[in-house]
Each structure stands twice: as structure tokens, then as C-alpha cells.
Amino acid sequence: QVIDATSLGWGTRVKGFIACFAIGCLFSLLGSCLLWVPKKGLMLFAAFYTLGNIASIGSTLFLMGPMKQLKRMFEPTRLIATIVMLLCLILTLCSAFWWHKQGLALLFCILQFFALAWYSISFIPFAR
């Protein structure tokens, strides 16, 4: 009964995926626009760009479900890609807010882009 009460229908899952992915793209685009704000621009960029990537990754939770997503993220074939991606997300925020190193935050944003691309490609069969 609990499983039936908490599962979403396919239409709802697709709508959740689209909404979450659109929010992720919007946050990433907003972060890119905020990069040019004087003084705090890089911090805003790092925050919104990272939140956008997290929302985009979170959008797949609607399609697969949280537990299946976590299991697939940490499979041996994509474990390194997952760790690098999560590490880049964390280091971007740390360098922008905790360490206050703007150049390092920008470097980690660039690495975050490539790490997310590597992580996404790891889900395509034979693309690794």
C-alpha cells in the first residue's frame, strides 16, 4: 500500500522532469548573466550555475526514482565520473563562499561543466 500511495504516474514523472530540468537551465542561464555584476558577480554565478546543475541532475530522479538513480550513479562503471562531478560541485561553492577565491571558483565552474558532461556521457552505452 505504501508503494502504491507514493509512486507517481508516468505523465507526472515526465512533467516533473521537464519542470526540474527547465529550472536547472534557467538557473544556469541566470548565473551566466549575473557573472557581469560588479563585486559579487562571480559568487552569484558560481551559486546559480551549481544550483542549476544540481536541479538538472535532480530532474532525472523523476524518471528513474531516487533509489535507482543513486544505485546507478555509484555503479563501478561511472563511480569516478560521479565522484569528480560531486567534488566539482562542492569545490565550486567552497571556493566562492568560504575561501573567497574568484579565480578558483571560475576554474571549478569550468571543471564542473566538463565533469557533468563526462557523467552524462557515462549513461550512454558504449560511450565510455
Side-chain angles (χ1 to χ4, degrees), residues 52-80:
N53 283 340
I54 291 170
S56 296
I57 293 166
S59 67
T60 58
L61 292 173
F62 286 99
L63 296 179
M64 286 192 251
M67 291 311 295
K68 188 173 181 183
Q69 172 75 12
L70 286 173
K71 285 178 186 175
R72 292 195 67 197
M73 282 176 73
F74 292 101
E75 286 177 351
T77 55
R78 69 181 56 89
L79 180 64
I80 295 171

Side-chain angles (χ1 to χ4, degrees), residues 2-3 5 10-11 36 41 45 47 55 58 70 75 82 109 116 118 120 128:
V2 174
I3 293 173
W10 183 248
W36 310 111
F45 167 69
L70 286 173
E75 286 177 351
T82 300
C109 280
L116 187 64
W118 180 26
S120 299
R128 296 184 278 278

Side-chain angles (χ1 to χ4, degrees), residues 1-8:
Q1 282 182 332
V2 174
I3 293 173
D4 292 336
T6 58
S7 62
L8 300 173

